[in-house]
Amino acid sequence: MNKNAKIVVGVVGASGYVGGELLRYLSGHPEVEIAAMTGSSQQGQAVESLFPNLKGIVEGPLTEADYDALGRSCDLVFSSLPHGISQEPVAQLLKAGARVIDMGADFRLRDAAVYEKWYGLPHQQRDLLAEAVYGMPELHSEQIKTARLVANPGCYPTASLLALLPLKGKLTGTVIVDAKSGVSGAGRSANVGNLFTEVSENFRAYGVGTHRHTPEIEQVIEHKVVFTPHLVPMTRGILATVYASSSIEDLLPHYRNFYADHPFVKVLEDLPCTKAVAGTNFCHLTVRSSSEPGLSVIISAIDNLGKGAAGTAVHNLNLMFGLDPLTGLDRAAVYP
Ligand SMILES: NC(=O)c1ccc[n+]([C@@H]2O[C@H](COP(=O)([O-])OP(=O)(O)OC[C@H]3O[C@@H](n4cnc5c(N)ncnc54)[C@H](OP(=O)(O)O)[C@@H]3O)[C@@H](O)[C@H]2O)c1
């Protein structure tokens, strides 16, 4: 690639919440040119009418996804399609020569049988599972640099794993992840359960014992986890409260040390909150001991669309193209 040329990117599924957030981040990235934005049912719609925040920033109609042409014309394509739908497009994009960051779950689990059990779908691109790199920069930055296919982590797994990674290999007993998400985590498609009237002034658990992010968390942390997600009446953000026992003492210095070279994870003295990371790629976390010896309470906050999706994807782009990890991502949240 010419040293002065921009990285040519495409966003597939640009009408969704993750696609829209990718466009917002990418439009502020100095080394990127957005060459294609595709939609499915929203094809032909102006992106600035779907995302009024992009008016005058990113404009133009969503086009049909021709994966062969996209793969030939782009250096990197972000696929922000629902799980199950991404497998064939990702294979075509790679075959045509692009590198791919898949935002969904299709390439996150190494074992196709585990995918098929939890997602209830056959995996059509099993060969690519061995090649895909789980795109958590705090864990796999070296592999991400050279990857053709990056499986961007899920939003709950990001919040949960960043809380747990410093304890990996030292965990004992049951790990409990009690996580709460804003409604944008469910995507933009119409769903009665996500109506204002259902969500507002309401707070509920869902997917108890069955949520598909459970095997993703367990695969990385290599420990059984009881994971319970909740829906809270806010637009974005995840707060995960994690209860874990380990053999490590003095946890706060241990966490500080562990994340010292990871610019997007801030270990705080204070308790984290979702508002302080909204619209950013930062994770705020802290750790406290409990009255139970050895049992710690770790609390992490991310933006599900930021660190939980588009922010990490841009961080991965930076690694894949040899850029400073902070490029296009060094911004504070809007507060309050
Ligand atoms: N929301 C989050 O916080 C979050 C976080 C991390 C990862 N993710 C993952 O990121 C992906 C996108 O999530 P999202 O929240 O952006 O979902 P979304 O708002 O529902 O958007 C889905 C996108 O996929 C397109 N699409 C739907 N069905 C399609 C089909 N059959 N063929 C081609 N395109 C199709 C839609 O196009 P049209 O609108 O034009 O029909 C839309 O652009 C999912 O895999 C999700 O699990 C989401």
Side-chain angles (χ1 to χ4, degrees):
M1 215 171 102
N2 173 341
K3 257 173 65 180
N4 299 319
K6 297 229 171 184
I7 302 158
V8 178
V9 304
V11 178
V12 170
S15 49
Y17 282 150
V18 168
E21 189 69 349
L22 275 166
L23 294 176
R24 187 176 75 84
Y25 276 99
L26 293 168
S27 66
H29 194 295
E31 305 296 335
V32 162
E33 175 193 337
I34 302 169
M37 309 176 284
T38 78
S40 180
S41 62
Q42 309 270 21
Q43 246 173 67
Q45 292 281 332
V47 74
E48 69 275 18
S49 68
L50 295 172
F51 296 107
N53 60 325
L54 296 180
K55 182 83 190 157
I57 308 283
V58 185
E59 298 197 335
L62 297 180
T63 58
E64 186 183 356
D66 174 341
Y67 299 114
D68 186 49
L70 268 178
R72 280 186 280 110
S73 59
C74 294
D75 299 309
L76 174 71
V77 178
F78 298 90
S79 173
S80 354
L81 300 176
H83 69 263
I85 291 173
S86 220
Q87 295 168 22
E88 185 57 31
V90 165
Q92 283 183 48
L93 289 162
L94 291 170
K95 195 167 168 214
R99 297 168 86 183
V100 177
I101 298 179
D102 185 46
M103 305 303 295
D106 284 350
F107 298 95
R108 292 181 195 150
L109 297 171
R110 280 193 300 269
D111 184 343
V114 176
Y115 176 87
E116 293 179 1
K117 176 181 160 205
W118 284 85
Y119 287 85
L121 295 168
H123 206 292
Q124 315 281 6
Q125 299 294 337
R126 289 165 170 246
D127 291 351
L128 288 176
L129 289 179
E131 179 185 343
V133 174
Y134 188 69
M136 182 162 275
E138 290 74 15
L139 205 54
H140 294 143
S141 64
E142 285 309 310
Q143 296 97 310
I144 292 165
K145 285 178 187 168
T146 54
R148 270 198 328 152
L149 171 57
V150 168
N152 219 65
C155 47
Y156 281 125
T158 298
S160 311
L161 288 168
L162 291 175
L164 283 166
L165 282 183
L167 305 181
K168 187 173 176 178
K170 305 273 195 288
L171 289 162
T172 55
T174 307
V175 170
I176 295 175
V177 178
D178 176 4
K180 304 100 192 158
S181 174
V183 189
S184 62
R188 201 175 198 180
S189 55
N191 176 345
V192 171
N194 299 339
L195 290 172
F196 178 82
T197 42
E198 307 287 328
V199 173
S200 172
E201 296 178 64
N202 202 356
F203 181 18
R204 63 171 184 262
Y206 63 102
V208 180
T210 61
H211 196 281
R212 289 159 169 165
H213 285 164
T214 308
E216 188 181 329
I217 300 168
E218 291 181 343
Q219 173 178 281
V220 176
I221 206 66
E222 296 172 357
H223 197 94
K224 282 278 168 209
V225 168
V226 178
F227 167 60
T228 307
H230 300 76
L231 192 66
V232 293
M234 60 184 185
T235 302
R236 11 169 124 211
I238 290 179
L239 190 86
T241 307
V242 178
Y243 303 85
S245 296
S246 76
S247 51
I248 301 176
E249 290 174 8
D250 270 347
L251 279 175
L252 200 58
H254 174 68
Y255 270 68
R256 287 231 165 88
N257 198 32
F258 187 90
Y259 285 119
D261 297 328
H262 296 285
F264 294 110
V265 183
K266 306 287 184 203
V267 180
L268 315 180
E269 296 273 355
D270 300 330
L271 294 170
C273 62
T274 55
K275 196 163 210 158
V277 292
T280 79
N281 188 45
F282 291 104
C283 170
H284 284 182
L285 60 79
T286 198
V287 55
R288 299 278 162 99
S289 47
S290 74
S291 53
E292 182 78 21
L295 179 69
S296 312
V297 182
I298 311 120
I299 300 164
S300 70
I302 62 165
D303 181 337
N304 56 295
L305 293 173
K307 184 69 175 152
T312 285
V314 173
H315 187 174
N316 284 330
L317 171 149
N318 290 340
L319 293 172
M320 291 165 87
F321 290 88
L323 302 172
D324 182 325
L326 289 159
T327 314
L329 293 170
D330 195 6
R331 66 181 80 176
V334 172
Y335 195 93

